Amino acid sequence: MPIRTALTDMLGIEHPIIQGGMQYVGYAEIAAAVSNAGGLGVLTALTQPTPEDLRKEIKRCRSMTDKPFGVNLALLPMLIPADYDAYAKVIAEEKIAMVEVAAGSPRKYVPMWHAAGIKVLHKSASIRHALKAQADGVDLIEVIGNEGAFAGGQPGDEVAGWVLFAKAVKMLQVPVIHCGATATGRQVAAALAMGAAGCTMGTRFLATVECPIRQEIKEKMAEPKVDERCTSVVLSSLKNATRVFTNDVSKQMLAIEKEMEGGKKDFKKMAPYASGARTKKMWQQTGDYNDGMWSASQSLGLIDDIPTCKDLLDRIIDEAEECMQAASAKIIPKSKL
């Protein structure tokens, strides 16, 4: 039986599951597979070198699915110089179902996207950012807890999703999407019970058949010894905290941060390790999980296989339904006497 929420109604999708944007991963292959499986697949805009390349990727995705899909646009001008206005314009012209905005404010683009019939979701790592996004006119807010594969974290934002999300659904008027370390149906059920309109998953979709990364990385993620303890938070000293897979690169980055304690914070020392080109090479060429900084949530502890996107979503929704039905059976009706 389908689960119906404000998210499924708004976007015309079967399951209240969004595939989060992932740099150098969010190509048409994974986005189309998730959408065909009933969720909302998402392309990553800045994975494409130019706005016109993004347009081509959107068209390629349309050739692979007739279902709704979205585009992620991370507004990070200080870290990733790009023609953001042009990327935003292509998104509007192509009239995709939803745009997931991360990092910066989407205010200047919201009217253009709304005029094109596009729903706007903002990814927020704190209540203050969520409230600002709501004031900017977004349609949905995605709240990510500290256990998730967050990026750009500020000091004091180290709040787990269990607290952050409960506060968000109480304070916000727009539908709220739970984000952060979700990989199972029981987590989806818990989020829906708390008031979520749906859930966003990123790390879980890395370990799927259709995900366009090297098989060696998927197999590493599914190993029993890779669990919820296998992530680290790097770049905290630069006020850009990011949760990543623990490997030689992240350990070296933490060592450099320790060396910089009490002195000048210099990103140039970290740049060779945080390089997007290095991570892209790992994803697409070498498959060496140890030689790149790559985002990963604590949901690593819940991943033990590499299913197709359809099998994964079917399993998650079936489990969510079972959990919600079991929970509702525990409610004892109040006496009418």
Side-chain angles (χ1 to χ4, degrees):
M1 183 182 298
I3 296 173
R4 182 178 180 181
T5 72
L7 176 67
T8 61
D9 287 350
M10 185 181 294
L11 299 178
I13 58 178
E14 183 180 359
H15 304 315
I17 303 292
I18 298 171
Q19 166 245 315
M22 295 176 281
Q23 186 73 343
Y24 300 123
V25 176
Y27 295 97
E29 288 81 1
I30 185 67
V34 173
S35 288
N36 285 332
L40 187 82
V42 173
L43 300 172
T44 304
L46 297 184
T47 287
Q48 300 302 322
T50 71
E52 285 307 309
D53 285 310
L54 173 61
R55 192 190 304 277
K56 292 175 184 176
E57 192 69 3
I58 290 172
K59 293 182 183 300
R60 192 165 77 92
C61 194
R62 285 201 174 110
S63 74
M64 300 167 71
T65 183
D66 59 359
K67 304 291 179 64
F69 62 89
V71 172
N72 166 279
L73 181 61
L75 302 174
L76 295 165
M78 297 297 290
L79 292 177
I80 306 177
D83 189 348
Y84 290 95
D85 289 352
Y87 278 101
K89 185 179 179 183
V90 166
I91 289 169
E93 290 172 345
E94 291 300 322
K95 294 180 168 60
I96 48 90
M98 187 200 80
V99 57
E100 176 193 42
V101 180
S105 168
R107 185 187 304 113
K108 67 182 291 188
Y109 303 126
V110 169
M112 176 176 64
W113 287 332
H114 278 169
I118 298 171
K119 301 300 181 184
V120 182
L121 175 151
H122 188 268
K123 185 175 185 178
S124 303
S126 70
I127 296 298
R128 68 182 185 282
H129 290 145
L131 289 170
K132 288 179 181 177
Q134 180 173 262
D136 288 341
V138 304
D139 304 285
L140 301 145
I141 292 178
E142 181 181 275
V143 178
I144 181 168
N146 190 251
E147 64 271 52
F150 63 88
Q154 304 294 305
D157 286 346
E158 304 87 355
V159 181
W162 194 243
V163 172
L164 190 64
F165 189 76
K167 190 170 183 179
V169 294
K170 180 180 179 181
M171 296 186 67
L172 299 172
Q173 278 71 58
V174 299
V176 183
I177 308 301
H178 182 278
C179 180
T182 299
T184 68
R186 56 175 38 92
Q187 290 171 293
V188 172
L192 294 175
M194 291 175 70
C199 291
T200 294
M201 302 193 308
T203 304
R204 174 63 269 203
F205 280 120
L206 288 174
T208 57
V209 171
E210 297 92 342
C211 187
I213 64 173
R214 295 283 301 186
Q215 183 69 15
E216 296 94 330
I217 301 171
K218 301 178 189 182
E219 292 174 356
K220 182 65 180 178
M221 294 174 68
E223 288 181 3
K225 65 181 180 181
V226 174
D227 61 20
E228 63 276 9
R229 300 168 297 175
C230 292
T231 68
S232 304
V233 177
V234 299
L235 301 176
S236 296
S237 62
L238 298 174
K239 297 183 179 180
N240 188 34
T242 304
R243 186 175 294 283
V244 300
F245 186 79
T246 300
N247 58 13
D248 289 349
V249 167
S250 64
K251 289 175 183 176
Q252 185 60 40
M253 293 175 73
L254 290 172
I256 293 172
E257 288 192 73
K258 188 171 181 61
E259 291 174 2
M260 292 191 298
E261 283 182 1
K264 181 181 178 182
K265 306 297 188 292
D266 186 1
F267 179 71
K268 291 181 180 179
K269 294 181 179 180
M270 313 284 283
Y273 302 97
S275 165
R278 184 172 183 166
T279 303
K280 181 180 181 181
K281 183 178 179 181
M282 177 204 73
W283 286 137
Q284 300 177 8
Q285 297 178 35
T286 69
D288 184 357
Y289 71 90
N290 225 5
D291 190 31
M293 185 191 89
W294 51 286
S295 294
S297 76
Q298 292 176 343
S299 67
L300 284 171
L302 301 169
I303 296 171
D304 57 12
D305 64 351
I306 307 169
T308 65
C309 289
K310 184 179 187 313
D311 287 346
L312 175 63
L313 285 188
D314 286 349
R315 183 172 74 198
I316 284 174
I317 296 302
D318 286 348
E319 185 179 60
E321 290 177 359
E322 291 173 5
C323 288
M324 288 189 288
Q325 289 169 354
S328 65
K330 294 180 172 67
I331 300 174
I332 301 174
K334 292 182 180 179
S335 173
K336 295 183 180 180
L337 296 179

